[in-house]
Amino acid sequence: MIRINLLPQRRRRRLSPESGVVIVALLVIAALAASYLWGTWRNREVAAQTAAINQKLVVTRRQVAEVLALEAKIDDLKAREALLASLEAREIPWSEILIDLAARTPRDAWLASAAASPGTAGLGLNLQGSALSYTSVARFMTTLTGSSFYSDVDLQGAQRATLGPTPIVQFGLTLSMRPLPVPPAQPAPATTKPAKEPSR
């Protein structure tokens, strides 16, 4: 008995080679687009992180500058405190030193300022003044070396200037104070304990 299939047969569509190339091209394009979008997003993230780091660096630099300024002020205050402590400990006779300084200043020279400063070998003096000639400055330095209060007289600078119609010489000197005897420490007053009452 012969069977006849009257149902229509569907033909299978075969994929042409061109369609495969198109699919591969679309996948490559999609991958490139995804890579481009990811790279763009990543670059924006890096730029944002870099901007945040730069802002933090600006704040940190300001804080470091403030800390350095405070440390400089602290060092200056410590130097002044050490100077005052040394002055109080030595009990330097400033009145006698100033009298001796005035007596050794030549008549054709005068001082504008005198300041004490701590040095490597002890206390020092910085003198600023004027004279009518370089010879007066040299004579002043010679007379200072004969003092019993200070030694090592050094000339920091000397230059000509004019005071009205009169030419003058402005100079700066540094002097090292001679070591003065430190006063002996006073013993602390003895404290007496109260006598115990006899027990009854």
Side-chain angles (χ1 to χ4, degrees), residues 1-20:
M1 182 176 182
I2 300 173
R3 295 181 180 180
I4 300 174
N5 189 4
L6 300 177
L7 295 175
Q9 295 181 358
R10 296 180 180 177
R11 296 180 181 180
R12 297 180 179 177
R13 295 180 181 178
R14 297 181 181 180
L15 296 176
S16 61
E18 292 79 2
S19 62

Side-chain angles (χ1 to χ4, degrees), residues 15 32 38-39 49 56-57 60 65 75 96 101 113 120 125 136 152 167 169 182 197:
L15 296 176
L32 292 176
W38 183 85
Q49 293 177 1
K56 291 182 180 180
L57 285 177
T60 303
D75 293 338
E96 299 177 7
L101 188 62
S113 64
T120 56
L125 283 179
S136 302
D152 298 335
V169 176
V182 179
E197 296 182 357

Side-chain angles (χ1 to χ4, degrees), residues 100-165:
D100 179 78
L101 188 62
R104 295 180 184 276
T105 304
R107 294 182 179 179
D108 52 355
W110 60 95
L111 294 177
S113 64
S117 61
T120 56
L123 192 65
L125 283 179
N126 298 324
L127 303 179
Q128 300 290 333
S130 303
L132 296 180
S133 63
Y134 288 103
T135 305
S136 302
V137 178
R139 190 185 315 117
F140 187 29
M141 295 177 63
T142 302
T143 56
L144 288 175
T145 55
S147 176
S148 60
F149 294 107
Y150 23 76
S151 62
D152 298 335
V153 182
D154 293 328
L155 179 65
Q156 295 299 312
Q159 60 181 0
R160 286 192 176 275
T162 55
L163 182 62

Side-chain angles (χ1 to χ4, degrees), residues 40-103:
T40 304
W41 174 81
R42 184 60 181 169
N43 290 335
R44 291 179 180 177
E45 289 290 327
V46 172
Q49 293 177 1
T50 304
I53 292 173
N54 290 334
Q55 291 180 356
K56 291 182 180 180
L57 285 177
V58 171
V59 175
T60 303
R61 288 174 182 173
R62 290 178 182 175
Q63 294 176 351
V64 170
E66 292 177 357
V67 170
L68 293 177
L70 290 176
E71 289 181 352
K73 291 181 180 179
I74 291 173
D75 293 338
D76 187 19
L77 292 176
K78 286 183 178 179
R80 293 183 182 182
E81 183 180 2
L83 176 60
L84 292 176
S86 63
L87 294 178
E88 293 177 356
R90 296 182 182 183
E91 295 184 359
I92 297 178
W94 287 108
S95 59
E96 299 177 7
I97 290 177
L98 294 177
I99 292 174
D100 179 78
L101 188 62

